[in-house]
Amino acid sequence: MFKRLCVIGTGLIGGSIARAAREQGLCEEIVAFGREKNLPNLQLAQELGVIDRFYTDIGLALHNADLVIVATPVGSMRSIFEAIKPYWHPEALYSDAGSTKGSVVEAVEAAFGHVPSNFVPAHPIAGAERSGVEAAQADLFRNRRLIITPLENTDAALVEKLSRFWQQIGSSVSLMSVEHHDTVLAATSHLPHILAFALVGLLGRKDEQREIFKYAAGGFKDFSRIASSDPTMWQDICLANKHEIIPLIQQFKAELSHIEQLLADDNTRQLFDTFTYARNARQRFLETFDD
Amino acid sequence: MFKRLCVIGTGLIGGSIARAAREQGLCEEIVAFGREKNLPNLQLAQELGVIDRFYTDIGLALHNADLVIVATPVGSMRSIFEAIKPYWHPEALYSDAGSTKGSVVEAVEAAFGHVPSNFVPAHPIAGAERSGVEAAQADLFRNRRLIITPLENTDAALVEKLSRFWQQIGSSVSLMSVEHHDTVLAATSHLPHILAFALVGLLGRKDEQREIFKYAAGGFKDFSRIASSDPTMWQDICLANKHEIIPLIQQFKAELSHIEQLLADDNTRQLFDTFTYARNARQRFLETFDD
């Protein structure tokens, strides 16, 4: 059990971590740090009982905290870690919830000149097209994966301690390298989000000229759901992991060009095979997902 | 009320039309035509009470039918209409449920040399990633759109009669030209399906080399749902409407190239604007969809 959890960033993810930790009785108290401009959100988080109290002074927020989780958009990580640095405590466990791990490790390195052994990078894989602390829920991470990407010098005991924390709030914990994480998530999460944003953008412009959305079906509703995700969060993720994402966009365009050619050639057979392979692959995914 | 509804093709769509028509008491009897190779499916449809009886002789199936609905993959429409032709009855109402309208009208024209005035092309916009008569349900079309695309010579009284039929099974009926239908559906349905098949195919090959699906989240599950759609049906749709779809694929690739460039340039501002526009467009779609 932790004495004091300090959550930095009380949106959907930070708020849900706080709610889950409280529900499972994992921390004696839960505080938050936020900047002045986020006062209304911090007040709401306190009113909703998500946190016990908040501070706009980071030194006060971190005082006596033995677990600190940074759950802000990944683009702000560097300034957050620079602000934390003067109050860094060698006995505390620091972690994050960023969707890209290479960029977070770089941010910590930029702030400290190295990555402290008591910083344990982590990423909860939980859907989040809703945003804000109002949407926070204690079971957001239940039956979801949590990936920890320890570095060579990361304290193994703290990796173990963080794993237990996430397991207690219902997650299934996997360990992998920073690089593997960023490669896998670029494919399964970042590229799909870009495709959804791109499609809904393209169709939105057509809809402005000539209404088309009213003739879209439930399939489009599901397909486009992730285009409702938070733009700031996703702008940060896409830029932070662009070295993985750009080659994937290129591969995807090649895939589309292939299908385009099959259509131009009336190649029924290969079109059938392509669609069948995809259908079977999704079935394999579903079997994994339902595990 | 119709005396005899003859459904040609008793999959999800044909089966659901039959179930809905029976539930609403719109037909005295419901029969189906199918080929020998589809016997197990026809028998199942009869056992499930979806149809009263079936015929593998099209002349018998069409005998006395005053409403005939062709609900087969669009690639087989021409041979179906050629088979129907000798039994065509000037007093009956013929329609279809094809997802592309230009190709269906062409198929009828190829079979008859012209499009008979008692053929009324129609398309129910209802999600269908499940397939087969087992999945058929009476409420599949409730609160869904049904598009009728009458030609110049189409009998207006029959358009009216078909509209009432679909309204009675819960659909909201819209009329538009064949060309407009195919343009709109290419954007809202055909392109999204191709993107889903292409993405799940690309990721499936990566997953074979190095497991990635286990780290995909609920967002990917929704996004990829339509990749579980029937490959034969979609191969037919994509080929039938390829003149609309190919330019859209090209526009979509250009959209992706634009985002790729924004990433390469670290253009945070425009990336934010692009994602925000898409998010707002989806909100507009949701408001339309919930109508």
Side-chain angles (χ1 to χ4, degrees):
Chain A
M1 189 164 170
F2 294 93
K3 279 194 181 138
R4 187 187 221 189
L5 163 62
C6 176
V7 174
I8 300 181
T10 39
L12 173 72
I13 299 296
S16 296
I17 292 171
R19 278 201 185 280
R22 186 186 304 282
E23 191 186 78
Q24 296 300 316
L26 304 182
C27 315
E28 281 173 33
E29 64 170 352
I30 302 176
V31 305
F33 163 73
R35 304 192 196 270
E36 294 283 349
K37 62 170 183 172
N38 288 322
L39 266 184
N41 187 58
L42 291 162
Q43 279 158 350
L44 180 60
Q46 186 174 321
E47 279 161 30
L48 293 171
V50 171
I51 54 172
D52 295 314
R53 85 194 116 276
F54 61 85
Y55 301 88
T56 55
D57 177 315
I58 196 158
L60 294 176
L62 293 173
H63 186 68
N64 281 335
D66 49 352
L67 176 59
V68 179
I69 298 182
V70 183
T72 58
V74 290
S76 61
M77 292 278 181
R78 179 167 173 176
S79 70
I80 297 283
F81 281 102
E82 278 166 352
I84 296 177
K85 191 181 175 189
Y87 308 97
W88 195 267
H89 196 289
E91 299 296 314
L93 165 52
Y94 297 84
S95 187
D96 76 311
S99 300
T100 56
K101 303 281 32 112
S103 79
V104 172
V105 168
E106 270 173 35
V108 174
E109 213 158 14
F112 288 83
H114 68 286
V115 181
S117 63
N118 57 338
F119 171 66
V120 184
H123 174 209
I125 303 182
E129 72 266 5
R130 295 152 304 144
S131 47
V133 71
E134 314 88 290
Q137 48 191 83
D139 65 354
L140 187 70
F141 309 110
R142 196 163 296 155
N143 300 320
R144 294 288 165 255
R145 290 191 184 267
L146 180 284
I147 301 178
I148 296 180
T149 60
L151 304 185
E152 268 190 29
N153 71 323
T154 308
D155 184 327
L158 295 182
V159 171
E160 183 54 34
K161 205 168 170 181
L162 188 70
S163 296
R164 276 201 309 278
F165 175 84
W166 280 99
Q167 282 160 355
Q168 284 170 302
I169 63 180
S171 297
S172 157
V173 176
S174 306
L175 268 63
M176 64 177 71
S177 71
V178 165
E179 297 70 26
H180 190 198
H181 171 279
D182 286 359
T183 303
V184 168
L185 271 287
T188 57
S189 172
H190 311 166
L191 178 63
H193 276 79
I194 286 174
L195 300 184
F197 282 127
L199 178 72
V200 180
L202 179 66
L203 266 57
R205 295 199 303 278
K206 288 182 187 291
D207 186 63
E208 282 183 25
Q209 290 160 358
R210 206 170 173 185
E211 54 180 11
I212 61 171
F213 279 150
K214 63 188 280 197
Y215 303 107
F220 179 73
K221 188 180 176 188
D222 287 338
F223 185 82
S224 63
R225 190 180 312 274
I226 51 180
S228 292
S229 302
D230 182 57
T232 304
M233 176 179 160
W234 279 94
Q235 143 215 308
D236 279 10
I237 291 172
C238 292
L239 287 171
N241 203 24
K242 70 177 191 175
H243 298 296
E244 292 288 341
I245 295 170
I246 289 175
L248 278 176
I249 293 179
Q250 290 161 351
Q251 288 167 39
F252 187 77
K253 286 192 297 184
E255 193 82 14
L256 283 182
S257 296
H258 176 64
I259 292 178
E260 193 182 327
Q261 194 58 51
L262 295 179
L263 290 175
D265 296 346
D266 282 317
N267 193 331
T268 314
R269 184 74 227 166
Q270 272 202 49
L271 209 54
F272 177 80
D273 291 347
T274 302
F275 291 175
T276 302
Y277 178 83
R279 190 196 216 195
N280 293 341
R282 183 165 190 271
Q283 192 51 42
R284 203 166 69 235
F285 156 70
L286 285 181
E287 283 153 17
T288 310
F289 193 78
D290 289 335
D291 273 351
Chain B
M1 188 163 171
F2 293 94
K3 278 193 182 139
R4 188 186 220 188
L5 163 61
C6 175
V7 175
I8 300 181
T10 39
L12 173 72
I13 299 296
S16 296
I17 293 171
R19 278 201 185 280
R22 186 186 303 282
E23 192 187 78
Q24 296 300 315
L26 305 181
C27 315
E28 280 172 33
E29 63 170 352
I30 303 176
V31 305
F33 163 73
R35 304 192 196 270
E36 294 282 350
K37 61 169 186 175
N38 288 322
L39 266 184
N41 187 58
L42 292 163
Q43 278 158 349
L44 179 61
Q46 187 175 321
E47 279 162 27
L48 293 171
V50 172
I51 54 172
D52 295 314
R53 85 194 117 274
F54 61 85
Y55 301 88
T56 55
D57 178 315
I58 196 158
L60 294 176
L62 294 172
H63 186 67
N64 281 336
D66 49 352
L67 176 59
V68 179
I69 299 182
V70 183
T72 58
V74 291
S76 61
M77 292 277 181
R78 180 169 172 175
S79 69
I80 296 285
F81 281 102
E82 278 166 352
I84 296 177
K85 190 182 175 188
Y87 309 97
W88 195 267
H89 196 288
E91 299 297 313
L93 165 52
Y94 297 84
S95 187
D96 76 310
S99 299
T100 56
K101 302 279 38 106
S103 79
V104 171
V105 168
E106 270 172 36
V108 175
E109 213 157 15
F112 288 84
H114 67 286
V115 181
S117 63
N118 57 338
F119 170 68
V120 185
H123 174 208
I125 303 182
E129 72 266 4
R130 295 152 304 142
S131 46
V133 71
E134 315 87 291
Q137 47 191 82
D139 65 355
L140 187 69
F141 309 109
R142 196 163 295 154
N143 300 321
R144 294 288 164 255
R145 289 190 185 268
L146 181 283
I147 302 177
I148 295 180
T149 60
L151 305 184
E152 269 190 27
N153 71 324
T154 308
D155 184 328
L158 295 182
V159 171
E160 184 53 35
K161 206 168 171 183
L162 187 71
S163 296
R164 275 202 310 278
F165 175 84
W166 280 100
Q167 282 160 354
Q168 283 170 302
I169 63 180
S171 296
S172 157
V173 176
S174 306
L175 268 63
M176 63 177 71
S177 71
V178 166
E179 296 70 26
H180 190 200
H181 171 278
D182 287 357
T183 302
V184 168
L185 272 287
T188 57
S189 171
H190 311 166
L191 178 63
H193 276 80
I194 286 175
L195 300 184
F197 282 126
L199 178 73
V200 181
L202 178 66
L203 266 57
R205 295 199 302 279
K206 288 182 187 292
D207 186 63
E208 282 183 24
Q209 292 161 354
R210 207 172 172 184
E211 54 180 13
I212 62 171
F213 280 150
K214 63 188 281 197
Y215 303 108
F220 179 73
K221 188 180 176 187
D222 287 338
F223 185 80
S224 62
R225 191 180 312 276
I226 52 180
S228 291
S229 301
D230 182 56
T232 305
M233 176 178 160
W234 280 93
Q235 143 215 305
D236 279 9
I237 291 171
C238 291
L239 288 172
N241 204 24
K242 70 178 192 175
H243 298 296
E244 292 289 341
I245 295 171
I246 289 175
L248 279 176
I249 293 178
Q250 289 161 350
Q251 289 167 38
F252 188 78
K253 287 193 297 184
E255 193 81 14
L256 284 182
S257 296
H258 175 65
I259 292 178
E260 194 183 326
Q261 194 59 50
L262 296 179
L263 290 176
D265 297 345
D266 282 317
N267 193 331
T268 314
R269 185 74 228 165
Q270 274 202 46
L271 209 53
F272 177 80
D273 290 346
T274 302
F275 291 174
T276 302
Y277 178 83
R279 189 195 216 197
N280 293 341
R282 184 166 190 270
Q283 191 52 42
R284 203 166 69 235
F285 156 71
L286 285 181
E287 284 153 16
T288 310
F289 193 78
D290 289 335
D291 273 352

